[in-house]
Amino acid sequence: MIQDIRQAVRTLSKHPGFVAIAAAVLGLGIGLNVAIFSIVHTMLFKPWPVKDSHELVSIYFAARRQPDRPHALRNDYATHFQAHAGIFQDITGKVGRSFALTADDETDTIQAESVIANYFDLLGVLPAFGRTFLPAEDDPANPSFAVVIAHDL
């Protein structure tokens, strides 16, 4: 076996270009495989960092004109479903939006979500500072509103 290894080293040392290309292709293949597996693992197999993530269900609705384009459950629909929950313990809703944030003469587009007050309670997520939403803040007649800011903003 040692003779076989010596023979392989001698043969490969006569063709350094082949060895360099083979090592580069092998390294690229391994790196790409690790990157793809990490993305797939994070998106499909790793549980969400929330309470009872295996029990969460996403509900979408589709307009009759565009059944192939599902939309998130709007807050007014989610509030209606909360009253008629049936098989679900609780229901919350969220709608994603983009906003322009201006600070120090710089404008940046940020992604935000309008959520129902029970959103964080349902997910079992606690704020690092301050509080989350109160049920009274869901009332459309309430003129005040609250904001929860992510730590990476």
Side-chain angles (χ1 to χ4, degrees):
M1 181 155 156
I2 292 178
Q3 289 179 344
D4 292 338
I5 293 173
R6 286 182 186 160
Q7 178 65 30
V9 169
R10 270 184 279 166
T11 303
L12 290 176
S13 65
K14 293 178 185 177
H15 304 287
F18 172 77
V19 173
I21 291 173
V25 168
L26 190 61
L28 186 64
I30 291 171
L32 191 60
N33 190 15
V34 168
I36 290 172
F37 177 77
S38 297
I39 291 169
V40 168
H41 179 266
T42 301
M43 295 182 76
L44 298 178
F45 301 118
K46 188 176 179 183
W48 290 3
V50 297
K51 177 184 74 171
D52 299 328
S53 64
H54 62 283
E55 295 181 6
L56 292 178
V57 177
S58 295
I59 301 173
Y60 294 92
F61 74 94
R64 289 187 180 144
R65 293 179 305 233
Q66 298 173 326
D68 58 331
R69 295 185 63 204
H71 300 281
L73 190 63
R74 290 191 342 225
N75 292 354
D76 52 344
Y77 290 141
T79 304
H80 172 77
F81 288 134
Q82 277 180 329
H84 305 87
I87 62 171
F88 299 111
Q89 288 181 349
D90 202 355
I91 294 177
T92 192
K94 68 176 185 171
V95 177
R97 298 182 177 157
S98 296
F99 292 96
L101 178 66
T102 304
D104 298 330
D105 295 330
E106 290 185 33
T107 302
D108 195 12
T109 302
I110 60 168
Q111 300 300 317
E113 291 181 344
S114 174
V115 300
I116 294 179
N118 72 336
Y119 184 77
F120 293 104
D121 294 333
L122 185 136
L123 295 177
V125 177
L126 298 173
F129 299 102
R131 64 172 178 84
T132 58
F133 303 116
L134 301 174
E137 291 166 338
D138 269 342
D139 186 5
N142 187 354
S144 64
F145 62 92
V147 176
V148 175
I149 299 175
H151 69 279
D152 61 345
L153 179 60

